Each structure stands twice: as C-alpha cells, then as structure tokens.
Amino acid sequence: MDRLFFLLLLVPVALLQAQLPDLPAAPADSTELLGQGISRFPANRVTDAQPQAGLVVTAEQLLRGQIGGLITQRDSWVPGSASHLYLYGPRVMTGNPNPIFIIDGMPVFPERPRDGEASLSELIGLNPEDIASMQVVTDPAALARYGIQGVKGVVLITTQQGASEQGRLTYHTTFRVSRPARRYPLLQAADWTQYYNEAATYRGDSLLLPPPTTDTDWQEEIFRPAFGTSHQLSYAGLRNKTRYYASGNYFMQEGLLRQDKLQRLSGRLNVQQQLGQRLTLSGRVAYSVTDLPASLANLTRSQSIVNTALLMAPTVPVYDSDGLYTQYYDYFRHSRPYTNPVQQLVDHQSEGTQRELVTQLGATYRLLDRLSLNYHLGYRQRHVTTYRESLLYTFRGYPDTIYSHTYDNYLHKTDQFFSALSATHTQTWREHHVLTSTAGTEVHFWKETMEQYGGDLEGKYTSRRYYRAEQGFRSVWADLTYTFKERYQIQWVNRWDKLYAQLSKHHHGIASAATLTWKVHQENWWSWGGSIPQLELYAGFGKLNGVPEGVEHLGGFSILKPRVGSLPALMFVDWERHYQAKTGVRIALLEGKLWGELTGYSLWGKELMFHMTEGLPPNSGYFPRSGGEMVNRGASLALTGQWKKDRWGYQLSGNVSYNKNKAWPYGQKGAVVMGSGGTWYDTTGGGSGTPKPIHHPTDGQPLGAYRAYLTEGILRDQAAVDAQRVLTTQSDRYITLGGRRFVDRNGSGAIDNKDPFVIGAPVPAWNMGLSQQFRYGAVGLNVSLQGVTGNVILRKQKYELLYNEGWANVTQDRFQNRWTPEHPDATEPRAGYWEPVAYADAFFEPGAYLRIQHVGLTYELPVRSLQAMQFSVGGQNLYTVTRYSGLDPEVADGTDAYAYPSPRTFFIGLKVSL
C-alpha cells in the first residue's frame, strides 16, 4: 500500500465523543505538569467519551490508531488475549514489548503465559467503562521519572471520579453479534476429489477416490455467530467536598470458535475527601472475576482444532453411519490420522478464571502554600487458575496411535505491593522566575507462587511442580522545573533504581533526562495570537537503565522476577542502556479549534539482552547475554480539531507516523546467526545435510527480519528440472515437473544457506489513524479508520494449507492456478507438490492494510425526566483493504499460523442518565 496514500489521509483518530463539547481553549501552559511532567496536549490522550469503551474486552484496544507513533497488534483474536504495543518501534530484543500501564499511579506487571497458553491481557480485570482518560508518555524527562519502568514507554490510566454537584446515575447496555470477517476459500468436495486424485497419480498411489457423496464445510462446523452483551451501572457525584464514583459491570463475549466464552463481573468504588483546606484523602477499591475462554486457557487446543478443520477433506462427514465421529484415517486408510475437529471441541475441555483485587490509599497534605506532601499506598492480588484436558485417540485399524486422556491444573498467584512518598515545592521570585521542585521515593515489591499438577485420568501417572519467587526494587527520584517569564522552561529529572536481585556488575540503574521548551506565543513580539494562539518548540534528551526480561525457560527463571536459587544465571546479563532524543513543535491554529504536533525522535539501546546460541551444544537451547544494540528513528504527526456552526458539528482526530528500526544482536562489531526456522539442506552430505537457521536477527536490519529463498516461477519442462538438479542434491520429491524453481542468488553454483535474502520485518514502519465525527442536532455519526504498511507476514498456515501432498484441503486459488501438462505456464506448483522449505519468498506477503475500525450512529432522545438518553447502532471491523490473503493482516509476531479469525461485529446500545 502506497505510503502517499497515508500521507493524503493524514491525521489521527477522533475521540469519537457521544456529545460534541467545545475543545478546551489553549491553556497558558500546554505542558502543565500533572505532578509528573506530563503534557495535557490533547493528541496524546484518550478520554472516557470514547464510545468503544462498552464494546471492547480490554482497555488497550481503545488505543488502536489513537496515538501517533503507537502501533497496536493483537496477539490473538480470542476474547481477552493480549496485544503487542510498540511505542516508537520495538525497544527490546526479548520479552514483552509493551509500554507499562500505570493505573491511578500504580504499575501493572504483565502475566507471563506458560507453555500452551495464549498471552492474557494485563488489563483484563479493568473495566474499560471505568476509565476517565489514558495518557501516553513520550517526553524524555517524563519517562525518566519512571526509571526502569519507562524504558518501553508509559501509559497512564486514570479512572473515573465524581465531578458534578448533582449526582448522576447512569445505565449503559450493549448487545453485539459477530461473525468471522474472513474465511479461507477452500475447495468443495468435487474439486477436492479431483485435486486428490491428481496428487495420488503423481506420487504413484493406486487409491483414487470415487465421486463424493458428502460435502462438509468444516469451517462452518467449528465457527459460529458469536453473541455478546454488557451492562454497566454507575453513580458519580460531588457532595460536601467528597467526590465519589461507584460502578458495577457485567461483560460477556462469546468467541467465534464454538464453546469459547468470556464473562467478567467487576465492581469499583473511588472516593476522594477534602478535609479542611490542607488535607485530601482518597481511596480506591476494585474487584473483578473473569471466566476465560477455553482457547485462552489452552492455546494448543484452538490451534489444533482450527488447523485440522482447514486441512480436513470436505468429503469426510462429521458423523459415520453409527452416529460416531468420523476420523480421517477411518475414511481413507491414509497415514494422516487427523482427529475430527468437532470431536476435539467436545473432548478437549479447558477452562480458566482470573480474580483480581486492587486497593489504593492516598493522601495529599499542604504544609505551606508552596509545599505539599503526597503519599500513595497500593496492593494488587491476581489469582489465575486454569484446567485443561488433552486426548489422543485410537483410530480403528491404525495401531500406531495410542489412546491417552490427560489433565492439567495450573494455579498462579501474584501479590504486588507499592508505596510512594513525594514532596513538591514551588518558589517564585522577582515575578519572572518559577522553580518547581519535586522529590520522592518508591518501593515496589511482588511475590508469586505457582503450582501445577496433572496426570492421566486413568491414574497411570501424576506430576506436580511448585515454585515461589520474590522480587522488587527501591527508587529515589528528583524533578526540577524552572520557568522564566512563562516562556522558557527546562525540566530535569533524575532517578535511582536498586533491584533486590543484583545483576552481574552493577547494583543500581540510573535514569537522567532534560527537556527544554520555548513558548513562542508568550513572546512580546508575537502578533498572531488570534489565528495562532499557541506555538511551542521543545527538545529533550535522556538516558534510562532497563532490566532485561524475556528469559522464560532458563530453569524456570525470569530476570524480571528471578526464581529463588537461580541468580547465577545473571552472570552474563547487565543493565540495559536506553537513550532517547526527541524534538518537536506544538501549535494551535484557527483560534484554538485545530491542534497539531510534529515530533522527530531517535532512540538507541545498548547492552540489550538477547538469546545467545553460538558456541552452545546442539539442542541445548539458549543462554541470556547482554551486548545487543538497536536504533529507532522516526517522526510522528498528529492533529485534533473541531468546528461548530448552528446545529452542525464536525470533529477530527488523526495521526501518521514512520519508524525505521535497525538491530545488531552482538552489537555493531560483528554478525551472528540466531534463532531457528525453516531449513534448506546443504548440497553436501548425500542429500541429508544440516539444517541452517533462516529466521534470525540480521546485523543492521529490523528486529526479527525474515530471510527467504528467492523463487522464480515453476519448473515447467524437463530442461528446467535438469538445470535445477545441477544446483542441489534435493530428491525428485522436490525437484520435479510442476515444482518450484529456486534461484542461486549469489552465483555460487549451489542453492544453500547463503542464498536467502532479507525480505522484510514483522513490525510495520508506517502507522496511521483517522477518525471523524459528524453531528447534526441530536444525531451523530462516528467513523474510525486505522492502518499500517511497511511490514511482511510469513504465512506458515499457507505452507501447510497450500502445499501438502494432496491429503488435505487447499484454497481455490491454489487449485485453479496449479501446474498441469496442459497448463505449463501456471503460477502454482502441481497438485500434491511438497515444498522443501517453508521460508521461500512465495510464503511471505505484504502486511499493509487499511481497516474501517468503527462506524457508529447515535441519537440523543430528549426526555424531560432524564438527564440524557442515547441510542447507538453500528459496527466494528467492517471492512479491511489489504492484499494479504490470510484471515487477517494484523499478526503480532509476523508469523501467521493456526490463526483465530477476526470478528466483524454489529451492535446496538442504550445509555440512560438520571
């Protein structure tokens, strides 16, 4: 998708407010501190007026397309699964790439999935309708305030508080229905029988199929229309200097895969009491219980079911003549014992529950007019339990498959404690000089316990595993902000972090940063105050130390939360060093009706942790080591504005950003081959050879860049086959008429592991969002678009689905464009051709897309006895413009395998306020 297309669309996703209030006039200080050096500039904020809050499962989905430079990719389309968020590109080489979420001042540490589980969103316990605002922190000085937590960015989430003297009781309900946005266009029974018989003939199989009597749509058998509903009841107000907000919420969303269902019950109470003129107390309590979908508790289950349904022959019925589930082998007597996917839905039982409790207390005391103290105490408990069963089946007449029925229980409890004390002093002298000084200390501590036990339901064996871990850190920080004549400002932040577990060389991590701001509109000579009421220029630079993370399988130990007794594994790991430089301009135009911000940045990291494999014994895994380097450079443009005339109103918000990423796994001194993936065999060794890694970080290329073999059409005649055999010792199974022609790129006279080239990277380079709201009187129309470009996707599912030996289903395009002796100029290999490598360029596709993310129509119904009544109707994920042929181009890690389809959702809603 052409980059010019995004530039023409320009700017950021509208806040899509149900009402169209006036945009606040430009404040005298657009970088007004919120106690932590965060800008109030509207382009970096998402408010509670976001109408999608009652439609999404987790709060991070509200950020999609909203913030310039922030790319959001779903880890899975299973309800409740996590998303990958990249703020100004990937910041680390291993581990969770997401910025840290801080809810009402308390950080949220992500839940780490175990083997066979999908990643669970760290915000799954937070009701999106309880959110008042979400603020993305990008300024170097502001990030330094968060130390090791701010390495990948920070998202500040503030929950609701009462503001009106008159209490407001609000009820909001939605009803949703979803279907898969796309399905694979697979063959029906007649065409598949023809394809199978052609493949059987090529491989010399005497078993040919008769005309089919059954035509099963296996996708229809496992997928379904998914229904969802939500009910929110809240009461907020302000009385006798007490602000209060209370809410209760029920949210239910079925998954597209049958038997998947998420349910969440949540409640929240926020209270703030002002005592006298100097003391303010606050308290927050939130509790949620979430029943997880089966596919979230057991990712392997959903992968197996979806994959088998796509590969299953359409000539196989769901049930046999006895009413039993039909098995692939029972029907074909073929050596592919695929389990009936409908039977897997019934037999592979999985369930899970998360319980989360959050309590917070806060106090602010003004000792003097210019001096105040702040204290914050928080506790979070998260308890996750999952249960899953797995079955292996005995196929009639197929003696090699052994029946077993196993179960697995998993209990994971995390307790997090947080305490912070700070003091703020503001000093003004000679009218023009203002110095705001803030200093504080924080203590973070968490402990986790995990118990896992399972076995065979027949009692043949049992297993049990238990561990306990404790970790935390202490911090001291200082923030100085000096302002001269309300137009020149410098902010400096310094922070010291000390881990309870020592890394290899140093005890402390240090963060230090400064930001300079020039408020041009405050100059005496500024004469454009009417048309340009605000113009600011700023520049900042900072350094942060980060704690390496992502070591998930080194003796059951993670660096962020090291297990007891595993500290020697830290001997080759040290603090990561992250540097950030940022400059930009903020401007308000048309008397404050249009706001804009243009930002340029350069980020680079050193001593980044990576997984070292070089020099280790075969099959020994990896070892964590510091030494990697990475650079992100880019720019972001964001606009927000609104116009009103009489009963007409229009609001727009949009952003477009570009990021260029480069990585050096061993630093910029040399290259290293890492990772694993598809293989091509050496031309030596009698055709067996040694597998060579293909997918790995490459020096100076984007993180996770893919390397692929170059192909050039099909081996259309015997001369082409003979020429290919000169270049490789591959067997006739791969080098055959109608096979794929591989290119010797380096001219070495052999196709080997030196021929692959860098074809692209999984993280998009370009990102955009555009939202618009049109309003006439009581009627409003909201439209939101979101898209990316500059990335590639490895279609691993395509490799299995399109290029099997004829025993499984294929797509219509594969069938219609296959090579036959009568069609030698075809673009696809012959029926039943088995690819020698899954990392050919034919299996990579551009990941660019432009999505109609949200369309909503609202109507305000005037009722005298009510404060407000609003009806809404609309849809989400309505249409995606893309050249990608898979189920959905939004793939978190760049590899599309066993994809869970994305939902196309239609909804109706009602919101009533008393």
Side-chain angles (χ1 to χ4, degrees):
M1 193 172 296
D2 197 285
R3 297 175 182 176
L4 181 60
F5 178 66
F6 288 99
L7 294 177
L8 292 176
L9 283 175
L10 267 190
V11 285
V13 176
L15 300 180
L16 300 175
Q17 299 174 353
Q19 300 179 2
L20 195 63
D22 293 332
L23 188 69
D29 182 1
S30 71
T31 57
E32 179 179 354
L33 301 182
L34 304 181
Q36 297 169 333
I38 311 302
S39 170
R40 287 190 185 274
F41 188 72
N44 290 332
R45 298 176 66 86
V46 177
T47 71
D48 62 325
Q50 171 65 264
Q52 299 184 55
L55 303 174
V56 299
V57 181
T58 55
E60 67 264 33
Q61 298 175 39
L62 298 176
L63 295 172
R64 294 170 58 87
Q66 295 282 345
I67 306 298
L70 180 66
I71 296 175
T72 304
Q73 294 180 322
R74 292 291 296 266
D75 188 50
S76 169
W77 291 97
V78 179
S81 60
S83 297
H84 287 187
L85 279 66
Y86 300 94
L87 181 59
Y88 295 162
R91 308 283 191 95
V92 293
M93 289 185 169
T94 60
N96 189 340
N98 293 0
I100 191 167
F101 294 96
I102 297 181
I103 303 176
D104 294 325
M106 185 172 181
V108 179
F109 297 106
E111 182 79 16
R112 290 167 305 161
R114 60 173 177 153
D115 291 345
E117 285 186 341
S119 298
L120 183 65
S121 169
E122 52 258 59
L123 300 181
I124 196 170
L126 174 64
N127 172 22
E129 294 197 69
D130 285 340
I131 295 176
S133 67
M134 301 177 73
Q135 174 91 25
V136 178
V137 181
T138 61
D139 180 78
L143 286 175
R145 160 67 180 81
Y146 296 96
I148 60 176
Q149 302 173 83
V151 167
K152 295 172 288 187
V154 174
V155 178
L156 301 178
I157 299 177
T158 303
T159 57
Q160 300 275 10
Q161 286 279 19
S164 173
E165 291 286 350
Q166 181 180 3
R168 169 174 288 199
L169 178 66
T170 302
Y171 172 71
H172 184 205
T173 183
T174 62
F175 177 79
R176 307 174 298 276
V177 59
S178 305
R179 291 191 66 90
R182 299 174 75 175
R183 296 191 350 159
Y184 279 110
L186 302 178
L187 296 185
Q188 293 182 323
D191 287 341
W192 183 82
T193 300
Q194 179 183 347
Y195 181 87
Y196 178 92
N197 289 338
E198 284 185 21
T201 300
Y202 285 130
R203 64 175 180 261
D205 193 339
S206 60
L207 174 62
L208 300 182
L209 301 181
T213 58
T214 301
D215 194 350
T216 303
D217 186 343
W218 288 102
Q219 294 183 85
E220 189 68 24
E221 294 293 335
I222 67 168
F223 296 129
R224 64 173 177 186
F227 297 94
T229 185
S230 64
H231 302 274
Q232 166 90 357
L233 184 64
S234 63
Y235 186 71
L238 170 63
R239 185 175 182 180
N240 296 330
K241 297 184 179 181
T242 301
R243 298 179 184 271
Y244 49 87
Y245 172 82
S247 71
N249 180 272
Y250 170 75
F251 187 96
M252 186 277 291
Q253 179 61 59
E254 294 179 336
L256 294 174
L257 189 64
R258 297 182 188 275
Q259 299 187 359
D260 273 353
K261 184 178 180 180
L262 180 142
Q263 294 186 94
R264 178 177 61 211
L265 281 170
S266 63
R268 173 175 289 274
L269 175 63
N270 292 350
V271 179
Q272 185 182 78
Q273 174 69 56
Q274 183 174 346
L275 301 176
Q277 298 295 320
R278 296 185 178 274
L279 179 62
T280 301
L281 301 178
S282 63
R284 295 179 173 89
V285 179
Y287 183 74
S288 66
V289 180
T290 306
D291 292 332
L292 306 177
S295 294
L296 200 58
N298 190 349
L299 180 62
T300 305
R301 166 188 179 270
S302 66
Q303 289 178 343
S304 175
I305 293 172
V306 173
N307 186 51
T308 305
L310 296 178
L311 297 175
M312 201 76 168
T315 56
V316 178
V318 179
Y319 304 98
D320 62 17
S321 58
D322 298 325
L324 302 175
Y325 292 111
T326 304
Q327 305 301 336
Y328 189 101
Y329 180 81
D330 296 334
Y331 193 77
F332 288 109
R333 302 296 176 185
H334 196 279
S335 60
R336 296 286 174 177
Y338 285 139
T339 303
N340 189 314
V342 178
Q343 182 179 6
Q344 292 185 64
L345 277 171
V346 176
D347 290 347
H348 287 196
Q349 297 297 317
S350 299
E351 59 186 25
T353 302
Q354 174 183 281
R355 292 177 172 84
E356 184 174 79
L357 171 67
V358 180
T359 60
Q360 295 176 268
L361 296 174
T364 300
Y365 184 72
R366 294 179 55 197
L367 291 174
L368 303 171
D369 291 340
R370 295 188 296 260
L371 177 63
S372 62
L373 297 177
N374 296 276
Y375 182 70
H376 187 186
L377 180 66
Y379 169 74
R380 173 182 285 108
Q381 182 186 87
R382 182 185 298 168
H383 193 187
V384 179
T385 60
T386 60
Y387 173 81
R388 58 189 185 185
E389 295 182 10
S390 298
L391 285 85
L392 295 178
Y393 304 90
T394 298
F395 299 95
R396 295 186 293 273
Y398 191 66
D400 295 335
T401 303
I402 301 174
Y403 175 85
S404 68
H405 190 174
T406 61
Y407 71 95
D408 177 73
N409 280 280
Y410 175 76
L411 298 89
H412 190 184
K413 180 182 177 182
T414 304
D415 295 280
Q416 178 188 347
F417 304 89
F418 168 72
S419 177
L421 175 65
S422 64
T424 301
H425 180 264
T426 301
Q427 178 68 47
T428 303
W429 67 97
R430 296 184 181 180
E431 297 183 359
H432 300 309
H433 305 271
V434 179
L435 178 64
T436 301
S437 308
T438 305
T441 180
E442 297 177 5
V443 176
H444 299 259
F445 177 79
W446 61 93
K447 62 180 181 179
E448 60 178 341
T449 57
M450 187 277 282
E451 184 176 1
Q452 182 176 354
Y453 59 92
D456 192 296
L457 289 180
E458 297 180 351
K460 295 179 181 179
Y461 74 93
T462 59
S463 64
R464 186 181 182 90
R465 179 188 178 197
Y466 175 86
Y467 74 70
R468 180 180 65 87
E470 297 180 355
Q471 179 57 290
F473 61 91
R474 302 189 303 270
S475 306
V476 178
W477 56 273
D479 182 340
L480 299 177
T481 302
Y482 170 71
T483 304
F484 178 65
K485 291 187 176 181
E486 297 184 343
R487 65 194 70 165
Y488 311 113
Q489 186 179 84
I490 179 171
Q491 181 183 9
W492 172 83
V493 178
N494 207 71
R495 172 167 169 147
W496 297 264
D497 293 307
K498 176 177 173 55
L499 286 179
Y500 291 153
Q502 179 183 345
L503 296 184
S504 62
K505 299 178 181 178
H506 303 97
H507 294 269
H508 299 85
I510 299 176
S512 184
T515 298
L516 302 173
T517 303
W518 178 26
K519 302 175 184 179
V520 182
H521 61 279
Q522 296 285 6
E523 295 287 356
N524 295 331
W525 47 264
W526 185 257
S527 59
W528 297 279
S531 57
I532 309 178
Q534 182 164 336
L535 176 64
E536 297 180 5
L537 305 177
Y538 63 89
F541 177 83
K543 174 199 171 186
L544 290 84
N545 282 120
V547 178
E549 56 179 307
V551 179
E552 303 295 342
H553 302 290
L554 188 61
F557 140 88
S558 169
I559 288 183
L560 185 59
K561 305 174 183 179
R563 308 290 188 257
V564 174
S566 298
L567 296 185
L570 297 171
M571 60 186 300
F572 294 113
V573 178
D574 202 357
W575 292 91
E576 296 182 341
R577 303 199 306 271
H578 296 265
Y579 303 87
Q580 177 178 0
K582 181 182 177 184
T583 185
V585 55
R586 303 185 185 104
I587 189 171
L589 303 170
L590 305 177
E591 299 179 348
K593 296 179 180 178
L594 179 65
W595 295 64
E597 181 172 14
L598 177 63
T599 299
Y601 61 86
S602 180
L603 315 175
W604 59 100
K606 296 186 176 183
E607 299 299 327
L608 303 183
M609 193 194 73
F610 60 90
H611 294 164
M612 183 180 68
T613 58
E614 186 180 42
L616 298 181
N619 303 319
S620 62
Y622 54 78
F623 197 84
R625 179 167 180 170
S626 300
E629 296 186 26
M630 187 157 52
V631 174
N632 290 282
R633 292 189 175 94
S636 174
L637 173 65
L639 297 178
T640 300
Q642 73 168 21
W643 294 263
K644 293 182 66 177
K645 184 176 182 180
D646 300 327
R647 302 187 67 189
W648 292 92
Y650 173 72
Q651 182 168 321
L652 172 144
S653 178
N655 63 77
V656 60
S657 60
Y658 171 76
N659 182 75
K660 185 175 181 60
N661 173 266
K662 291 184 178 181
W664 294 266
Y666 263 145
Q668 300 187 36
K669 297 181 179 180
V672 61
V673 175
M674 297 168 57
S676 62
T679 59
W680 183 276
Y681 297 100
D682 278 338
T683 55
T684 60
S688 59
T690 303
K692 300 295 182 182
I694 292 298
H695 174 42
H696 61 78
T698 304
D699 275 348
Q701 296 293 336
L703 185 69
Y706 286 100
R707 299 172 67 236
Y709 286 95
L710 178 65
T711 63
E712 194 173 81
I714 305 301
L715 299 174
R716 53 177 301 181
D717 51 37
Q718 190 60 43
V721 173
D722 294 339
Q724 187 86 128
R725 284 176 177 163
V726 172
L727 299 175
T728 180
T729 58
Q730 289 290 327
S731 68
D732 291 344
R733 183 187 188 189
Y734 308 113
I735 312 302
T736 181
L737 279 173
R740 194 174 298 283
R741 179 178 180 270
F742 287 83
V743 178
D744 177 19
R745 288 188 68 252
N746 61 0
S748 64
I751 300 175
D752 53 27
N753 65 301
K754 297 180 181 179
D755 284 304
F757 68 101
V758 175
I759 195 172
V763 180
W766 290 84
N767 181 47
M768 66 82 60
L770 175 65
S771 291
Q772 303 175 82
Q773 180 185 21
F774 306 89
R775 192 166 188 86
Y776 178 75
V779 180
L781 175 65
N782 307 312
V783 180
S784 173
L785 308 177
Q786 182 258 334
V788 302
T789 189
N791 64 311
V792 298
I793 299 174
L794 170 62
R795 288 238 16 227
K796 192 173 181 180
Q797 183 69 58
K798 179 178 180 180
Y799 171 74
E800 297 189 6
L801 190 60
L802 273 63
Y803 305 108
N804 56 72
E805 292 181 292
W807 35 260
N809 209 341
V810 296
T811 62
Q812 296 175 10
D813 180 72
R814 169 75 173 96
F815 175 73
Q816 295 167 1
N817 297 305
R818 73 193 185 284
W819 178 94
T820 64
E822 296 76 23
H823 299 90
D825 295 327
T827 57
E828 295 288 350
R830 65 167 173 79
Y833 175 70
W834 186 267
E835 295 278 354
V837 59
Y839 286 76
D841 58 358
F843 303 111
F844 291 88
E845 297 182 17
Y849 68 87
L850 179 64
R851 191 192 308 274
I852 302 178
Q853 180 65 32
H854 177 90
V855 175
L857 183 66
T858 61
Y859 178 69
E860 301 282 348
L861 183 65
V863 180
R864 292 186 178 181
S865 59
L866 302 176
Q867 292 191 29
M869 174 180 285
Q870 181 189 84
F871 292 97
S872 60
V873 61
Q876 292 186 302
N877 191 23
L878 295 180
Y879 189 75
T880 302
V881 180
T882 182
R883 291 189 295 165
Y884 183 64
S885 61
L887 292 180
D888 195 280
E890 186 175 329
V891 180
D893 60 359
T895 300
D896 188 355
Y898 322 111
Y900 198 102
S902 60
R904 176 175 292 131
T905 303
F906 296 93
F907 67 88
I908 58 174
L910 172 65
K911 190 172 186 179
V912 179
S913 296
L914 301 175

